[in-house]
Amino acid sequence: MTSFDTAPFRHALWRVLLALAVVLVLLMTTGWTAVRLGGEAQEPREAALAAWRHDRIGLRPLPDPSERPAAVSAFFGSLSGKERGRLALRHPFVVGNLDGAPIDLRYRANRIALRGALDAERDRVADRRLSEDGHREAVRRTHRFEALLGGDRRILAFDPTGRGRVAEVFGDLRRAERVSVVVPGVDTSLLTFQKTSLPYTAPVGMARSLYRAERETSPTTRTAVIAWADYASPAGVGMDAATGRLAATGADRLATLTRGLPGKSKVALFCHSYGSVVCGVAARRLPDRVTDIAVAGSPGMRADDVAGLGTRARVWAARDADDWIADVPYLEVGGLGHGADPVEPEFGARLVSSADAAGHAGYFVPGTDSLRNFAGIGVGAYGQVRCAPGEGSCRDDLPLSEPVYEGSSGTVEA
């Protein structure tokens, strides 16, 4: 009998063939559509960036938008209040999305950008040349922009280009001792950022639910939660969802976000579905202030185990018993697939209970173990975290609660 006849080899071969079969089905169904829908027109963004690069404050050039957040923070710190306000008014699209810029200035800039986008979308609604589908989309985008402008919403990022990107803050980000970032998965866009039906399946509902749970878990801890839909996610379960291409660009943005947060707050990431791929790719580039990475319904983190993530952050994982993601082949073949299963013991993550989560999209629903556990992780109340049944203690080597930094300096990490 040759080595090719051994049971382990046959098992591995079967997994590879299964993965290739899944990819073939994706190509035949949603794959090519997802690739086409994932494309974004760059003209509005490029026009705004070009105007920014040609502007000056006196004789001083404006910082490159790709500059490190610490350098951006230092630049804005050297300006007067009037100068900062003029930049927000002249370049709302850039200032509102510039990590390292003052948080309140970003909120102000994004309100200006939203009003401009709303006016443009209303013009599209009135355009009789639009197709029926185009008119319907323009109406939906109008409603979304109106909602984002409503009340005292804190919009941290806004880009209406293509399917759109957006991020919103719950709580006081400048004074927070603990910051949680919700990183969502596929089909996240401006139009799906918030939902009336099944609200906890959308980034706003997830983040708002987590913020309330954290306040209940530790009322004296100053917390803030970011609904972070500021990356181009895959459109549907197609080829983009099966590869790490979009996760790589999303990881760059996520790492920059965490470096640009104000103060000395500790940060926890809560990564759902394809969002856990983004977090896995970003892990080795995250600053030390990111102390925890929790994944739920993960298709893999593009690593063989926790050590392969290259991070000092604690890694937590949850998966509901009814989550269909368990049937996805956990391997990587020629760039397809996202690697090992984070809830397998060999991966080395701290496994937490997700009782009552009810499937792939229910991890942030109030009353679930998963939400209670995420809240405990987010505020550092590890003694309140409930481990997954039969998996030993996920709290080994952890204090019941972890101290936070005192005060907030408003500085940005280099």
Side-chain angles (χ1 to χ4, degrees), residues 160-239:
T161 307
R163 295 169 62 225
R165 299 196 298 254
V166 62
E168 182 173 6
V169 175
F170 298 89
D172 189 340
L173 192 57
R174 290 186 298 108
R175 298 181 63 249
E177 299 163 324
R178 294 273 181 174
V179 175
S180 297
V181 183
V182 174
V183 184
V186 300
D187 285 327
T188 299
S189 67
L190 271 170
L191 295 181
T192 61
F193 185 60
Q194 183 174 0
K195 296 179 182 178
T196 302
S197 178
L198 301 175
Y200 304 115
T201 66
V204 167
M206 293 177 180
R208 183 178 284 138
S209 180
L210 180 58
Y211 179 63
R212 290 170 179 166
E214 289 184 351
R215 295 292 300 275
E216 292 173 1
T217 300
S218 183
T220 61
T221 301
R222 297 195 301 270
T223 66
V225 178
I226 302 173
W228 191 76
D230 193 24
Y231 81 103
S233 76
V237 187
M239 283 299 295

Side-chain angles (χ1 to χ4, degrees), residues 123-372:
D123 288 343
R124 290 187 67 225
V125 171
D127 189 345
R128 295 180 178 274
R129 296 170 298 177
L130 272 184
S131 66
E132 184 177 343
D133 287 343
H135 182 268
R136 186 181 301 111
E137 181 186 14
V139 169
R140 291 183 66 196
R141 285 168 66 91
T142 297
H143 292 164
R144 172 62 63 238
F145 297 158
E146 289 173 341
L148 291 173
L149 280 166
D152 189 27
R153 298 184 71 167
R154 300 176 175 94
I155 306 304
L156 185 65
F158 171 69
D159 180 355
T161 307
R163 295 169 62 225
R165 299 196 298 254
V166 62
E168 182 173 6
V169 175
F170 298 89
D172 189 340
L173 192 57
R174 290 186 298 108
R175 298 181 63 249
E177 299 163 324
R178 294 273 181 174
V179 175
S180 297
V181 183
V182 174
V183 184
V186 300
D187 285 327
T188 299
S189 67
L190 271 170
L191 295 181
T192 61
F193 185 60
Q194 183 174 0
K195 296 179 182 178
T196 302
S197 178
L198 301 175
Y200 304 115
T201 66
V204 167
M206 293 177 180
R208 183 178 284 138
S209 180
L210 180 58
Y211 179 63
R212 290 170 179 166
E214 289 184 351
R215 295 292 300 275
E216 292 173 1
T217 300
S218 183
T220 61
T221 301
R222 297 195 301 270
T223 66
V225 178
I226 302 173
W228 191 76
D230 193 24
Y231 81 103
S233 76
V237 187
M239 283 299 295
D240 278 341
T243 69
R245 182 179 68 88
L246 294 179
T249 56
D252 290 338
R253 300 181 69 84
L254 181 60
T256 303
L257 167 81
T258 56
R259 292 187 180 279
L261 294 174
K264 298 180 180 179
S265 56
K266 293 189 176 182
V267 179
L269 307 182
F270 297 90
C271 320
H272 177 245
S273 194
Y274 190 84
S276 66
V277 185
V278 176
C279 292
V281 176
R284 66 181 63 255
R285 301 197 297 276
L286 298 172
D288 289 342
R289 72 189 305 181
V290 179
T291 59
D292 298 271
I293 302 173
V295 301
S298 174
M301 301 180 73
R302 302 195 75 81
D304 292 331
D305 51 30
V306 167
L309 293 172
T311 179
R312 289 193 285 181
R314 290 174 285 267
V315 179
W316 309 77
R319 188 170 69 208
D320 184 70
D322 297 325
D323 191 338
W324 59 262
I325 205 75
D327 297 325
V328 171
Y330 283 92
L331 45 76
E332 189 275 330
V333 180
L336 298 172
H338 303 301
D341 186 349
V343 302
E344 286 296 323
E346 307 85 61
F347 191 82
R350 300 171 184 267
L351 305 184
V352 299
S353 171
S354 58
D356 301 319
H360 187 63
Y363 292 97
F364 291 85
V365 174
T368 59
D369 265 7
S370 49
L371 180 63
R372 284 188 288 266

Side-chain angles (χ1 to χ4, degrees), residues 71-86:
V72 172
S73 178
F75 170 80
F76 278 96
S78 71
L79 303 180
S80 68
K82 288 185 178 180
E83 288 173 326
R84 289 194 290 268
R86 284 200 297 270

Side-chain angles (χ1 to χ4, degrees), residues 53-63 75 79 83 90:
R53 292 187 177 106
H54 284 90
D55 202 358
R56 295 286 187 276
I57 288 289
L59 299 177
R60 299 170 59 191
L62 305 184
F75 170 80
L79 303 180
E83 288 173 326
R90 290 205 302 256

